[in-house]
Amino acid sequence: LVVHAQNLDNATSSAAAQSEISRYIITFNEPGALYYTGGVSGIKGTAPDAVANGDRKFHANSPDAVAYRSFLRDIQTNRIADLSSLLGHTLDVSHRYEITMNGIAADLTAAEAGRVSRAPGVKSITREQIYHTDTFRGPTFIGAPTIWNAPTPGGNINRGKGVVVGVLDSGVNSTNPSFADEASCNYTGAEKKLLSAVDCSVVTAGVCAGPNPEAVDSGHGVHTASTAAGAVVTNAASPSPALPAPYTQLSGVAPCASLRTYKVCPGSTCPGADIIGGVDSAIADGVDVINFSISGGTS
């Protein structure tokens, strides 16, 4: 009787696990635009190696990239309809990817995920992983002042001006003085410190389109963004950083660099689906470097 009861408990537990809903990343067979080298009638390759532009950079809004991304969008719409029909209910899709991969993120039970894995056009399906925010320390630790003050070609010290840093983290405080347009950086025209801030809890047409890019539940993203590229701030700023003597100012490693922030952590946890969306959006925006102070072990 004891063995029978134990087996019954195991069966109940297994059935519950099979019916529990989780988010899954579903990858379709066709490559994302970053890796597309050609093959679709009328659309040339969009991968950097396939484009003779000489700059080795992916251009998400080139005519061929726009055409191929639209092609992927149509495929995704059809696959979502097919999977909904297969499962007998409308697929709950939160993210649609088309840059680093062609795929979606959707809520499924384990049993449904097994069925989806065998569907035509599906390359792979993996359960979303959850990561956590990490990091610390700044300019002096890495020797940034030595580079700031060293002679450069033409004699200019630009402190990162002209570089766009993409920060994948918990969002930004857009009114913080670290993200103000600092006068000493001589920004002109469309140049400014904070170029954009987006929320990746929803991804539409391959880019982040969530409702709240501000750091509401965690200041970690404000910390990492200001450490990487925060402007020079003194005690005269509002709010004041209350610097202890003998310090008179603080700044990020590259105080004249511009920022684009991608909120992939709604708090101290960072859903894998949001992270993929953030990476795709950063590549689509053409950032020069990505700051990713988030866990991941040795992967």
Side-chain angles (χ1 to χ4, degrees), residues 52 128 153 175 261 282:
E128 175 189 60
T175 62
T261 65

Side-chain angles (χ1 to χ4, degrees), residues 69-79 96:
R69 291 172 65 185
S70 177
F71 169 77
L72 292 184
R73 235 165 277 158
D74 290 341
I75 286 177
Q76 291 173 9
T77 298
N78 291 333
R79 297 262 167 81
R96 292 176 63 153

Side-chain angles (χ1 to χ4, degrees), residues 99-241:
I99 305 295
T100 57
M101 60 177 278
N102 169 32
I104 59 175
D107 292 339
L108 300 165
T109 66
E112 289 175 333
R115 295 174 66 188
V116 167
S117 70
R118 298 184 291 273
V122 173
K123 180 179 180 180
S124 66
I125 179 169
T126 57
R127 187 172 177 174
E128 175 189 60
Q129 294 188 51
I130 303 297
Y131 301 91
H132 301 271
T133 49
D134 280 336
T135 157
F136 215 105
R137 283 184 103 170
T140 302
F141 178 70
I142 68 166
T146 302
I147 298 173
W148 292 343
N149 300 323
T152 57
N156 297 316
I157 299 173
N158 61 29
R159 295 179 295 159
K161 186 176 178 183
V163 174
V164 178
V165 180
V167 179
L168 273 66
D169 214 291
S170 66
V172 69
N173 180 346
S174 56
T175 62
N176 188 293
S178 286
F179 308 125
D181 296 340
E182 186 192 328
S184 70
C185 293
N186 297 315
Y187 293 122
T188 60
E191 284 185 311
K192 55 182 181 177
K193 166 62 70 181
L194 186 60
L195 294 172
S196 63
V198 295
D199 172 7
C200 301
S201 61
V202 176
V203 173
T204 303
V207 294
C208 298
N212 188 8
E214 295 289 307
V216 177
D217 300 314
S218 168
H220 190 270
V222 177
H223 165 65
T224 56
S226 59
T227 299
V232 174
V233 178
T234 69
N235 279 337
S238 180
S240 172

Side-chain angles (χ1 to χ4, degrees), residues 251-274:
S251 85
V253 172
C256 288
S258 293
L259 281 163
R260 294 188 184 274
T261 65
Y262 304 87
K263 185 176 179 178
V264 300
C265 309
S268 62
T269 59
C270 313
D274 296 18

